[in-house]
Amino acid sequence: LVATLAAGSWATAFATVAVAEELPAGDDECTSPDCSLGMLQRRAFREQASANETSDKSSDAEACFSRPPSGNLAGAELCFCQLAGNPACPATECACPQGCAGVSWKHANTVVFRNRAKAHGCADDTVLLTSPSGYFKDPADLHYASGGSCQDSIITQLLADSWSTYQSEVGTGPVWQCFHGSRIASVRYLHLQTFCHSGSFHGMPTSNHYVASCVLMSSAGQAGALASRMASMLR
């Protein structure tokens, strides 16, 4: 009888304890092997669903940052596309007046370069332009592309990379981050304008979202929250 207990009931009891140790706090009311196993199966299902969702979001983001133009580009649009490294725009014949080599700061999914136009009211009048590697014609195109699933990831990355480049290459401190309104933007390749917090540039900053969508950025950690705010302004 003792031997039977050791081989049977004790093994079952040990399995129950082992399974229970894997359960999160609050599941200690589960005392039977079947209950504990069910708990583990449900948790595994939730974790797999969460992993699948994360994978789907990652795949969506990759598609956003590799989005090709809908047609052939020329002039300034082709220049921006080449600098951004969009696969559909090889820089075999550079379309940029300033050239394509040594004129930008390349990040994993964006490119930052100097605007030839200058800001007003800044100690350093440099304005930086930041474009994603994926093609979006203007803020409205970004807003509606793929049901709006691209806008948060694209804007977050634009804000983060423009911020870090401005702080290291231009000057430190808060900056204005602006998109021209879709009806106003002169270059039909999405680009973010970055300039000093005390300055102005081409009617920006403004509260008129048809003219521009602007946020004041003071730290790198604000990128995600400011991206959501900017997304709600896009016109």
Side-chain angles (χ1 to χ4, degrees):
L1 178 60
V2 173
T4 301
L5 283 173
S9 299
W10 285 109
T12 301
F14 178 79
T16 302
V17 171
V19 170
E21 287 177 347
E22 295 295 324
L23 293 174
D27 289 335
D28 53 348
E29 69 274 10
C30 228
T31 56
S32 72
D34 288 343
C35 177
S36 298
L37 182 58
M39 284 283 192
L40 280 179
Q41 288 173 333
R42 287 193 292 275
R43 188 175 73 174
F45 178 80
R46 290 195 300 269
E47 290 175 349
Q48 184 60 51
S50 176
N52 289 342
E53 182 179 359
T54 300
S55 177
D56 289 344
K57 287 181 179 179
S58 177
S59 298
D60 289 345
E62 289 177 8
C64 295
F65 284 106
S66 60
R67 188 175 187 247
S70 55
N72 294 327
L73 302 181
E77 287 75 19
L78 179 57
C79 168
F80 277 46
C81 192
Q82 290 175 330
L83 292 179
N86 189 294
C89 301
T92 49
E93 294 184 17
C94 181
C96 302
Q98 71 274 35
C100 289
V103 299
S104 64
W105 294 275
K106 191 73 177 75
H107 298 269
N109 293 306
T110 69
V111 66
V112 185
F113 51 102
R114 296 179 189 272
N115 194 331
R116 289 184 291 177
K118 304 297 183 181
H120 300 283
C122 298
D124 189 320
D125 59 5
T126 298
V127 178
L128 294 184
L129 301 175
T130 307
S131 288
S133 52
Y135 174 77
F136 300 89
K137 181 176 66 173
D138 50 38
D141 186 25
L142 174 63
H143 182 64
Y144 292 108
S146 301
S149 63
C150 289
Q151 58 183 355
D152 283 348
S153 59
I154 292 287
I155 299 174
T156 298
Q157 201 63 59
L158 292 175
L159 290 172
D161 292 346
S162 59
W163 168 267
S164 65
T165 303
Y166 193 98
Q167 301 301 308
S168 64
E169 303 296 336
V170 181
T172 57
V175 294
W176 282 108
Q177 304 272 38
C178 299
F179 289 119
H180 267 133
S182 299
R183 297 180 181 179
I184 294 175
S186 58
V187 177
R188 297 302 180 183
Y189 194 109
L190 184 71
H191 53 282
L192 183 72
Q193 313 261 11
T194 306
F195 53 95
C196 80
H197 74 286
S198 61
S200 62
F201 180 70
H202 288 186
M204 303 178 290
T206 177
S207 59
N208 185 338
H209 298 160
Y210 287 96
V211 174
S213 303
C214 295
V215 293
L216 185 63
M217 188 170 184
S218 302
S219 70
Q222 293 179 301
L226 291 180
S228 296
R229 185 175 161 194
M230 287 193 88
S232 69
M233 302 177 187
L234 298 186
R235 299 288 187 274

